[in-house]
């Protein structure tokens, strides 16, 4: 008899690519995940993971078993959904993946609200970039995703995944105090050429959006500093090292030395909640989406000082 938790560990490694990332998603330690895989290897008398440089890769047998695990976990999810639906109230574990500024600016209030109103619901949050998180919900690695796209770079939902709009997050140009744009009421995108830019690394949605936007306006962006976190980007602007386009969600008040200037037209990113179609009737999903939408107006408020 194959143990479901061990199959869940193998499935997580197949989805996330490493033991460490699988452990983070499951809420375990890497050692615990490795032990689950080792026990599954003994049960199946099969080698499931092979060393590949500093990481691991699944053997052909492991990939077949991971596919079976995904099917079994989907059956379990349907059974849990039916039970929760019959009870009529959110319960059980709900795993959520959200991008960084939503995890900081929106999810704390939502998770606290759910914990207060639904004590039988056990929510678990993981911070994941939108390009990765949508794939995770489609593969069953998480239950619900908070993701975003930009006005010129839509994020399509894959087959078998439903979505609901949460709200629109506006984005401003941040410049150092004393910059020629600092006294302006608005700046057109065509005027952004020749600036030294501070942004997130390649592969991140904000980085890709900046490049596409400036190139569409006839400018090749000169990206001089890169950092993952928005507070770091703001600090670099405050030091006079360049300009940045940063969304308002989770940004917080700006420090001294940084001036916010609206762009014309103003960039917008759209926030969505996504979940698998098979879990659509689950009360926990419906309540979490409701809470996300209810708390969005407060999260989207714009602190200026």
């Amino acid at each position: 008899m194959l143990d479901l938790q061990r199959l869940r560990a193998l499935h997580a490694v197949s989805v996330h690519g490493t033991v460490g990332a699988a452990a983070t998603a499951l809420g375990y330690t890497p050692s615990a995940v490795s032990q689950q895989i080792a026990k599954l290897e003994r049960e199946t008398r099969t080698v499931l993971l092979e060393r590949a440089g500093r990481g691991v890769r699944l053997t052909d047998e492991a990939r077949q078993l991971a596919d079976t695990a995904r099917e079994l976990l989907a059956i379990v999810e349907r059974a849990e959904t039916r039970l929760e639906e019959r009870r009529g109230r959110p319960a059980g574990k709900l795993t959520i993946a959200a991008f960084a500024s939503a995890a900081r600016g929106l999810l704390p209030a939502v998770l606290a609200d759910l914990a207060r109103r639904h004590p039988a619901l056990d929510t678990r949050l993981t911070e994941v970039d939108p390009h990765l998180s949508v794939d995770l919900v489609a593969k069953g690695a998480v239950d619900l995703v908070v993701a975003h796209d930009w006005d010129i770079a839509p994020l399509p939902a894959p087959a078998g995944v439903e979505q609901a709009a949460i709200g629109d997050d506006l984005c401003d140009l941040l410049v150092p105090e004393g910059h020629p744009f600092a006294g302006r009421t608005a700046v057109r995108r065509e005027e952004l050429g020749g600036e030294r830019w501070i942004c997130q690394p390649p592969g991140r949605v904000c980085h890709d959006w900046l490049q596409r936007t400036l190139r569409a306006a006839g400018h090749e962006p000169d990206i001089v500093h890169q950092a993952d976190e928005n507070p770091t980007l703001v600090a670099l602007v405050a030091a006079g090292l360049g300009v940045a386009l940063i969304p308002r969600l989770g940004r917080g008040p700006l420090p001294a030395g940084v001036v916010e200037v609206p762009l014309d037209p103003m960039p917008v990113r759209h926030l969505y909640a996504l979940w698998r179609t098979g879990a659509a009737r689950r009360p926990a999903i419906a309540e979490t989406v409701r809470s996300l939408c209810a708390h969005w107006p407060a999260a989207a408020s714009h602190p200026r000082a």
Side-chain angles (χ1 to χ4, degrees), residues 181-238:
F181 290 156
R184 299 273 297 273
T185 57
V187 173
R188 299 188 307 276
R189 296 181 184 184
E190 292 76 12
E191 301 178 78
L192 297 176
E195 297 296 332
R196 291 168 62 85
W197 288 96
I198 301 166
C199 74
Q200 294 178 332
R204 303 293 293 273
V205 177
C206 295
H207 182 283
D208 297 344
W209 183 91
L210 175 65
Q211 287 194 318
R212 293 180 61 177
T213 298
L214 292 188
R215 287 169 179 168
H219 307 299
E220 184 63 28
D222 180 16
I223 299 174
V224 295
H225 302 294
Q226 301 177 41
D228 282 317
E229 294 295 332
N230 284 345
T232 304
L233 303 179
V234 173
L236 292 169
V237 174

Side-chain angles (χ1 to χ4, degrees), residues 13-72:
V13 173
S14 72
V15 170
H16 296 279
T18 68
V19 171
T24 299
L26 293 172
Y28 299 156
T29 65
S31 176
V33 172
S34 295
Q35 290 175 16
Q36 293 282 355
I37 300 296
K39 291 177 180 178
L40 188 58
E41 287 183 325
R42 290 196 294 270
E43 287 177 348
T44 60
R45 299 183 179 87
T46 303
V47 175
L48 300 176
L49 298 183
E50 296 177 333
R51 287 290 176 188
R54 295 184 178 180
V56 296
R57 65 165 173 253
L58 273 67
T59 63
D60 290 342
E61 292 82 1
R63 284 193 289 270
Q64 293 178 1
L65 191 56
D67 289 341
T68 301
R70 183 174 63 251
E71 296 173 4
L72 290 173

Side-chain angles (χ1 to χ4, degrees), residues 240-256:
L241 299 173
V243 303
L245 282 169
I246 299 184
R248 295 178 179 178
L249 176 63
R251 191 176 73 194
L254 296 177

